[in-house]
Each structure stands twice: as structure tokens, then as C-alpha cells.
Amino acid sequence: MQRIIKRLTYYLFALLVVGQTACLDTIEIDVPTIFKNGLVIQGGLIRHSDKARVIVQFRSVSDEKSQSNVIRVQNAYVHNDLGQSKELILDVDGFYKTMFEDSINFNYSFGRSFYVKVTTYNGDQFISEPEILSNSPAIESLSWKQVKKSIVNNLNQVELADFVEIYLTTPKPEGLNYLKFDVINAYQYTDQLEGFPPGKLCYVTQRADTRNVLLYDHTSLAEPVIKDIPVYDHRIDYLFSEGYYGTIVLQSIGKKAYDYYTQINELNNREGSIYDAPAGRVISNIKNMTHPDKMPRLFYAVSQIQQE
């Protein structure tokens, strides 16, 4: 026992010596208040068929633990270029929402522009730039095929694995708009405990690849139809084992929204190497009328076309 105590004392002494002789300087970084107490506003007007909805979320800027809290505001309204407005109501999921099923009291026709006005409880007022609602092109066809791709396994070795790839064909969008895709996976599986017979049949629906926003830049293409855009790929696993149902949601977005989501993708995929894109402030189309130096993200208007 005495020998063990001596060894522990020696090790502790050695650590103390190292700690006292190491050259460690404290670096004070002056973080602006905009990042300490910032507000992120993100949402849009989404039209599907002859109905539309507005969904906007207010969150605090992520802290050092990558945690972000939902923020309540005093009021939030959506406006169109005809002077019509409607209040957004806080839902149980933390989003401010409103629904439109006709254009009698609020016109949401294609070609109209929309913006949001927000007042926080501390008196800050935010307003977004007007966004025009454009009609998205129709999805002409979906196709898929099974392919083999190289992956790195758990042993850090490269091997081939089976993947499913989904492709989409659509006409080019109007004007200078770009394409944004959402993929919704729905699959079934049988609930079964080890040693027991199969139990109940379960169904799961979830958005695919929440880390990246799927975008497509068609501006360099001369053809009127964009053929076989690769919109999704997934390694063959439990998702396809019993039954799979996929939905592709196509949206035509403007240049500002395209640049915004491109920057978000770059931030989400940073690896900390010298090859990463330089970090910087994400663009915004929302202005803080009380404090013009604060830039709180994006509001946009889109129409959705779905193919299953």
C-alpha cells in the first residue's frame, strides 16, 4: 500500500510540474452581442395545389454546445403586395403558422410577392424582403436503379456496397429560379422481440438526409427539359427490407434562397481542414428595423410539386 501511495504522489507531482512549465496563454475573443443573443428567423410560404401555408420558426443562435432554444415573439404577420395580411399563430411544435384554403381574404396567387413582419417582446421589429411566389415545374418522371458504390467500412477499408439511386426528370423552372428537393421516406417494419413471434406492423415516415438540402443549378443547361437529375441515394438496409414508399417534393426557389441553402450545406459539412470553404456570415433577406446590424436568416415563397 505504501508503494502505491508513493507512485501516486510521484505521478501527481510530475503532472503539476508539467502544468506549471507549459506555455499556455489565455486568448480573449470579443464575441459580438449579435451572436450571444441572436435571433434566427427561418420559414416561408409554401403552396401545394390550390392551398397554401406559412410556417416560420424563431430560435436563438446555437451556443457552444450546439443547443438552440425556441423563442416566442409578441406577434408575427405575413403580408402580400395587395396590402392583405394574416397573423401567424404559435403551434405546439414551436412553429408560427397559418393556413390558406382560398384567396378571398388573402391572395396567394402565383406572381404575387410576400413578406413577414415580426415584433419581439423586447421591442425589436423585423421585416423580410418581398419574395415572389413562382409556379414550380411538373415532375415528368421518376426512375431508380441499384448500383454499387465504394464505402469505408468499420475496419477503415474500402469495399463495395449496394445502393439505390433515384432520378427525376422535369422541365426547367421559369426565369432564374433554381430547384430544391425534399425526399420523404416511408417504410414498414414488423415489431418483434427476440424469442417471440412477429408482433404488430409499424410504419415510419421521415424526411431523408436532414443534414443537407438537396439543390440543383440548371442555369448552365441549354435543354428545356432536365433529364435524370440524381435526387437521392441510400445504401440498401432496413429501409427497403419489408416495404418502402418514397415521395419527392420539388420546389422552385429564387437565387437568394439557393445561395442561403448552399451556405447552410457548406456549414453543415465542414471537416475542419484547409480545404473547407472560408467561414462567414450566412446571407439573409430579413432586416432588423430596430438594430440594422443584426441579420436573422431567411423567408421565402415556393410552390411544391410531389411525385410518389
Side-chain angles (χ1 to χ4, degrees):
M1 178 65 69
Q2 185 176 4
R3 182 179 301 175
I4 294 176
I5 293 176
K6 286 183 177 179
R7 287 181 178 177
L8 289 176
T9 304
Y10 174 78
Y11 292 147
L12 288 173
F13 175 76
L15 290 174
L16 288 174
V17 171
V18 172
Q20 292 173 354
T21 59
C23 297
L24 298 177
D25 293 329
T26 302
I27 301 176
E28 297 291 342
I29 300 177
D30 185 17
V31 181
T33 306
I34 175 178
F35 298 112
K36 293 180 180 178
N37 304 307
L39 174 65
V40 176
I41 303 174
Q42 182 171 301
L45 183 146
I46 303 167
R47 174 168 173 168
H48 177 62
S49 186
D50 58 347
K51 299 179 181 180
R53 68 186 188 276
V54 177
I55 302 177
V56 180
Q57 189 177 39
F58 307 94
R59 301 189 68 91
S60 62
V61 173
S62 298
D63 58 19
E64 66 277 1
K65 297 180 180 179
S66 298
Q67 296 176 342
S68 175
N69 298 318
V70 175
I71 302 297
R72 294 193 176 193
V73 297
Q74 183 174 337
N75 58 64
Y77 289 86
V78 59
H79 299 256
N80 62 16
D81 54 0
L82 297 177
Q84 298 171 319
S85 64
K86 189 172 182 181
E87 186 174 9
L88 308 181
I89 305 300
L90 177 64
D91 204 346
V92 293
D93 58 2
F95 288 81
Y96 283 75
K97 302 177 182 179
T98 190
M99 298 286 295
F100 303 107
E101 296 187 354
D102 60 67
S103 294
I104 298 176
N105 297 315
F106 189 91
N107 191 306
Y108 52 93
S109 302
F110 295 119
R112 302 253 71 94
S113 59
F114 307 89
Y115 60 95
V116 290
K117 282 185 177 181
V118 180
T119 302
T120 64
Y121 281 106
N122 65 1
D124 283 354
Q125 293 185 335
F126 298 87
I127 184 171
S128 67
E129 299 174 5
E131 287 288 324
I132 297 176
L133 176 63
S134 300
N135 196 0
S136 296
I139 298 176
E140 292 190 353
S141 65
L142 287 178
S143 60
W144 68 276
K145 65 180 179 180
Q146 183 175 333
V147 298
K148 289 188 177 295
K149 292 187 175 183
S150 297
I151 64 167
V152 179
N153 59 25
N154 294 332
L155 300 176
N156 203 29
Q157 299 172 339
V158 178
E159 65 178 23
L160 292 178
D162 291 317
F163 279 74
V164 168
E165 290 186 339
I166 299 178
Y167 305 89
L168 178 147
T169 296
T170 179
K172 290 177 63 175
E174 300 175 356
L176 297 177
N177 283 352
Y178 297 76
L179 295 179
K180 174 180 176 289
F181 303 97
D182 291 326
V183 180
I184 302 173
N185 289 329
Y187 63 94
Q188 68 179 43
Y189 73 95
T190 303
D191 187 18
Q192 182 178 7
L193 297 176
E194 186 176 357
F196 291 86
K200 62 181 179 180
L201 185 63
C202 302
Y203 297 90
V204 178
T205 301
Q206 60 189 15
R207 183 180 178 273
D209 195 9
T210 56
R211 184 177 180 181
N212 293 291
V213 180
L214 303 175
L215 304 168
Y216 189 80
D217 180 1
H218 67 88
T219 54
S220 61
L221 299 177
E223 297 81 4
V225 176
I226 312 172
K227 296 183 178 180
D228 296 330
I229 305 172
V231 293
Y232 185 58
D233 70 328
H234 190 87
R235 185 177 179 180
I236 295 179
D237 56 10
Y238 64 90
L239 203 69
F240 306 97
S241 60
E242 293 189 42
Y244 172 78
Y245 194 82
T247 302
I248 309 296
V249 182
L250 182 151
Q251 303 172 25
S252 178
I253 61 176
K255 182 66 164 59
K256 194 109 180 185
Y258 177 84
D259 291 341
Y260 169 79
Y261 282 116
T262 298
Q263 293 180 357
I264 293 297
N265 285 344
E266 292 176 350
L267 289 176
N268 287 340
N269 290 278
R270 293 183 65 85
E271 298 178 352
S273 71
I274 61 174
Y275 301 105
D276 286 339
R281 177 179 292 183
V282 178
I283 65 170
S284 173
N285 68 349
I286 302 177
K287 295 181 179 179
N288 186 330
M289 307 304 292
T290 311
H291 302 284
D293 59 323
K294 295 185 178 181
M295 303 289 287
R297 301 297 177 91
L298 184 84
F299 176 83
Y300 67 103
V302 297
S303 64
Q304 292 184 339
I305 306 295
Q306 295 187 7
Q307 183 75 32
E308 302 171 340

